[in-house]
Each structure stands twice: as structure tokens, then as C-alpha cells.
Amino acid sequence: MTAIPQGRTHRRAALVSAMCALVVTGLGMTGCSEDPDAGTNGVGKLPAERIQAKTTAAAGEVDAVRLSGTVVAGGKSYKLDMRLKSDGGTGSVTAEGASFHLLRVGEQLYLKADAAFWKNGDGKAGTSESDTAAADKLDGKYVKVPTGDPSYKKFSGFTDKDLLLGDLLTLHGALAKDGHHEQAGVRTIRITGDGGSGGTLDVSLEGRPYPLRLERAGGAGTLSFSAWGEDFALEQPTKGETVDYGKELPAS
């Protein structure tokens, strides 16, 4: 069976829409409407529970993704721009006005920030000379985060694709569909938990049913997903870029 090119499908849909408009205008007829799922991957016709299952499976099967937006956790709001894959991730995090870069390759996690980030953790004036010297040493360097440091568990989760997506893509409450939408020029079907209070998720109707936009329950952040399956370099920083601070990081 010969596949119909995507462009031809869109042109056919446009032609059907134009014909319907002529019929309604010229003959006063109603009931002629375009199928919103024409030319899509078909998940828009499925029940919300099946859509949830399919988008979760699609996200789990692909190796790489980029996510950006905000996540509220532990009473703090984190702004993320991360690229993730199965063996690590890299990207930027901003919390309470402080920004830093995370890099995880395998089990090794690195944190890079400027000197202000390391000065008493908030960059305020009045730090001791030793604190200032330590902060200057760490300025712009990849600092190895010891696995036993509290920061390791806290920040490594931002670089763990399976852990992060497994938590984020869960909607709470009864699932339902909330119509056809569009995200970054891609047609989507939206599903909700408890009418939206349990979160909303836009799922791609083009290609594989990847999740494209998530609004978390309870105002706990909004995230966009892109670059599904697009590989990227993930390498250990060089010795000249790295500082090994020891078993525990300075307070930050």
C-alpha cells in the first residue's frame, strides 16, 4: 500500500474544508465538517487512558529529549532547560535568582556556577576571605558532586530522563480529552486529569505521539518537550575545567 505524502494530506484536508464552505454558503446546508484527525497518527480518536499510555510508552522508548520550563518542588520554583538521554543529561537550572549548570555522565554529576553562587550560597557581601577565595577557585569550573552529598540526590534527578519523565507525565484524577490544539506548529490532542486540576498534557498528532506540553497539577509548573530522539554530545569535562572539592560541597 502506497503511503500518502503528508503535504498531499494537508492539501486534501484544505480542499475538503473549502468545499464544505461552498456547500454551506450556496445551499444553506449544514453538517459538513472536516475530520480533525485526518492525516494524523490517529491517537486523537482513542480514549484518554489509551492516549496517556501511548504517549508514556513513546517517551520511554526514545533515547533523547529536551525539556524546558518550570518545576515547583519542595516549595521552590526551578527553571529548567535540560537535554536528557538514558546515560545522563546537561543543561541549566535557575532557582531563587541563582543559576547554575548541571552535567551528568553516567554516575558522575558536575555542577558549574559563578563565584557569587558559591559565596555563602547566595552571593551576599560580607563573606570571609577564605569563603571568597574558595568561591573564586570554583568560579566557572565543573565541580564534582560527591554521591554522598545532599546535593547529589537533589540535582541528579534533573538529569535523569526516566526518573524525571516518569514523575512528570503522570496526570492525577479521572482522565478526559480536552479537544484538538497546537503546540509550536504541531497539531495535538489534549488530555486532562480531573478537568485540568490534575494537570493537562498535549500529545502530538503528527508522527509518534510524544508529549509536547505539560501543565502540572496544582500549579506545580509548566514544561515543553522537544527534540525527541535527537542525539547530542555528553562528555566528561577536561581536568582543566574540573575541581574535585572532596567528600562534601560548600554550602550552596
Side-chain angles (χ1 to χ4, degrees):
M1 183 175 180
T2 303
I4 300 174
Q6 189 75 8
R8 189 179 301 173
T9 301
H10 288 314
R11 289 195 297 271
R12 183 178 63 185
L15 179 60
V16 170
S17 180
M19 291 176 63
C20 287
L22 287 173
V23 169
V24 172
T25 303
L27 302 179
M29 297 176 64
T30 60
C32 184
S33 61
E34 180 186 345
D35 180 1
D37 293 300
T40 72
N41 55 26
V43 298
K45 297 181 179 180
L46 301 176
E49 291 79 5
R50 291 279 308 281
I51 298 173
Q52 170 83 43
K54 281 186 170 291
T55 196
T56 301
E61 291 167 0
V62 74
D63 185 59
V65 64
R66 178 178 182 176
L67 65 84
S68 58
T70 58
V71 171
V72 179
K76 292 185 178 181
S77 178
Y78 298 90
K79 183 179 179 181
L80 308 178
D81 187 358
M82 303 294 300
R83 297 201 70 173
L84 310 172
K85 54 185 180 179
S86 58
D87 58 345
T90 183
S92 64
V93 180
T94 300
E96 298 181 334
S99 296
F100 52 94
H101 186 91
L102 291 176
L103 169 66
R104 184 175 64 84
V105 183
E107 294 300 314
Q108 185 59 64
L109 177 67
Y110 300 89
L111 189 156
K112 181 170 72 171
D114 60 17
F117 176 87
W118 297 107
K119 291 178 182 177
N120 281 349
D122 54 17
K124 292 181 179 178
T127 56
S128 68
E129 289 186 8
S130 60
D131 289 337
T132 299
D136 290 341
K137 181 182 178 181
L138 301 179
D139 182 29
K141 296 288 188 179
Y142 282 101
V143 179
K144 288 185 178 181
V145 182
T147 55
D149 190 276
S151 297
Y152 187 91
K153 183 177 181 180
K154 181 178 182 179
F155 293 136
S156 63
F158 289 145
T159 67
D160 190 322
K161 171 183 173 288
D162 293 335
L163 178 65
L164 195 58
L165 293 185
D167 176 58
L168 291 176
L169 297 180
T170 300
L171 299 179
H172 302 280
L175 299 181
K177 293 195 291 188
D178 187 28
H180 292 71
H181 300 268
E182 186 176 295
Q183 296 296 331
V186 178
R187 290 179 292 171
T188 66
I189 183 71
R190 181 171 298 168
I191 56 176
T192 66
D194 271 350
S197 62
T200 69
L201 184 64
D202 277 52
V203 177
S204 176
L205 289 174
E206 301 178 17
R208 299 204 66 192
Y210 293 126
L212 296 184
R213 186 176 185 274
L214 169 73
E215 290 188 14
R216 300 184 72 203
T222 300
L223 289 165
S224 296
F225 305 91
S226 60
W228 288 101
E230 295 182 14
D231 196 16
F232 60 95
L234 195 61
E235 300 176 348
Q236 298 272 4
T238 65
K239 286 187 176 181
E241 298 175 303
T242 309
V243 174
D244 190 345
Y245 203 81
K247 294 184 178 180
E248 186 174 343
L249 295 183
S252 60

